Amino acid sequence: MIRKLTDLDQKQVLDFLYREQAFNIFPIGDIESFGFDKDFQRVYADFDIFGNYISIFLRYRNNAIYYSINEEFNKDYLRIFEEDPFDFFSGKAELFKDIEPYLNDFKKDVMYFVETKAFNNSNKTFPFEIKRLKTKEEAEKLFYLFQKIKEFAPYHSDLDNFISAKLNSINMGVTLYIEDGGKIISSVATTAETTKSAMVVAVGTDPNYRKLGLASSLLEELMKIYLLGKSKSLCLFYDNPEAGSIYKRLGFEYLGMWNIYRKRK
């Protein structure tokens, strides 16, 4: 049986999701931050005959995420997909075997999913100051950095929407950046921060400033903030082998594969 969740379900659904904390960081963060009564977020769940959770489907703005304790998919979710459409859909790769045939309008990306719980300080010197994004002006500078990065530019085409989303996300994580000549040249951020972990996103460097260790230095600073300062783990996903070697060197360990589906324009 599938039903829409309410505030009365919060403890039980979080207990369910925390069984695989890393893979559920997005729904955990969204539920802990926004609950069930916001107009931009809805949470549905499938239960067995004893009332135990089998799976959840969360809608946050134009994003959707799915999680289940097994690979069986309840096709009653398809009605919700149709009534509550989305542009982005993601989750553990092995859970999408029976869902993928219904996602013909979406392009799939397969990512490596990694996590770190330990920090080894490199103690290296670094010539650039690392700053923390807080203002509208800084968000605007970050937008123009993303326009230079081919992986980011297609998803950040509207300046005003980008600034609004970035400033709204400050309470769900941090954004660190490095500046040179008044422009941001490298950045990294976290989102979906929960009581135990956070997701690393948007690791990017201006193409003219690569191979200088900027992203690695930002990640090390982020690890200090979370692993040492907050006693929280960090997760991320990637598809670039070169980036993967950096994450491995910094102590990230492989957990599994993650699928992301983007609706075709």
Side-chain angles (χ1 to χ4, degrees):
M1 179 192 73
I2 297 174
R3 67 172 174 85
K4 188 176 179 181
L5 302 188
T6 71
D7 288 337
L8 297 176
D9 299 298
Q10 181 156 338
K11 182 182 185 306
Q12 289 77 15
V13 71
L14 287 176
D15 287 345
F16 171 69
L17 294 171
Y18 266 113
R19 295 177 189 177
E20 281 197 282
Q21 171 188 320
F23 281 107
N24 287 314
I25 188 169
F26 285 123
I28 290 171
D30 290 338
I31 291 171
E32 288 183 345
S33 297
F34 303 115
F36 304 87
D37 60 354
K38 298 292 189 295
D39 59 1
F40 56 79
Q41 177 162 293
R42 294 158 295 285
V43 188
Y44 307 87
D46 186 21
F47 299 86
D48 65 20
I49 59 173
F50 303 105
N52 300 310
Y53 282 87
I54 299 173
S55 63
I56 69 104
F57 173 69
L58 182 143
R59 287 281 288 101
Y60 173 80
R61 302 192 188 278
N62 63 340
N63 297 279
I65 194 163
Y66 176 78
Y67 172 74
S68 176
I69 58 173
N70 58 50
E71 296 182 21
E72 296 180 7
F73 174 64
N74 185 340
K75 291 183 181 179
D76 288 345
Y77 275 119
L78 296 176
R79 176 181 55 80
I80 298 172
F81 292 1
E82 183 176 348
E83 295 174 352
D84 203 356
F86 44 82
D87 293 329
F88 302 92
F89 194 18
S90 63
K92 289 177 67 175
E94 60 264 34
L95 300 180
F96 282 82
K97 175 176 63 70
D98 292 334
I99 303 175
E100 198 165 288
Y102 303 98
L103 300 176
N104 293 325
D105 293 337
F106 290 77
K107 177 182 180 297
K108 180 174 75 170
D109 292 316
V110 181
M111 318 287 282
Y112 295 93
F113 192 85
V114 295
E115 180 185 35
T116 184
K117 298 180 179 180
F119 176 64
N120 297 317
N121 193 348
S122 65
N123 292 316
K124 65 181 179 183
T125 59
F126 188 64
F128 294 96
E129 178 185 2
I130 294 176
K131 300 178 181 180
R132 189 163 177 166
L133 188 146
K134 297 178 181 178
T135 69
K136 177 181 178 180
E137 290 72 24
E138 291 169 312
E140 182 174 351
K141 290 181 181 181
L142 184 61
F143 174 83
Y144 290 116
L145 167 65
F146 284 3
Q147 295 306 295
K148 299 178 180 180
I149 301 173
K150 65 179 182 179
E151 296 86 355
F152 295 169
Y155 306 105
H156 302 290
S157 57
D158 186 283
L159 175 60
D160 291 337
N161 286 342
F162 177 86
I163 291 173
S164 176
K166 174 53 67 174
L167 295 180
N168 287 336
S169 71
I170 286 177
N171 293 330
M172 296 183 68
V174 303
T175 298
L176 302 179
Y177 69 89
I178 295 168
E179 200 172 25
D180 186 40
K183 62 182 180 180
I184 293 179
I185 58 173
S186 188
S187 177
V188 65
T190 55
T191 189
E193 183 171 347
T194 73
T195 57
K196 297 182 180 180
S197 58
M199 177 67 74
V200 179
V201 294
V203 182
T205 299
D206 185 318
N208 295 317
Y209 288 84
R210 290 176 181 171
K211 307 296 184 181
L212 298 177
L214 303 183
S216 295
S217 296
L218 286 169
L219 280 165
E220 288 187 5
E221 183 64 25
L222 204 62
M223 292 167 73
K224 289 179 186 177
I225 291 171
Y226 280 92
L227 303 179
L228 301 182
K230 298 187 175 187
S231 297
K232 296 183 181 184
S233 62
L234 287 174
C235 306
L236 61 85
F237 40 75
Y238 69 91
D239 62 353
N240 183 327
E242 184 176 350
S245 64
I246 296 173
Y247 301 139
K248 184 176 181 179
R249 175 173 55 79
L250 291 173
F252 285 84
E253 298 181 352
Y254 174 79
L255 292 182
M257 302 302 293
W258 184 267
N259 284 4
I260 299 176
Y261 299 84
R262 296 179 171 89
K263 193 164 189 176
R264 302 180 193 275
K265 301 299 183 182

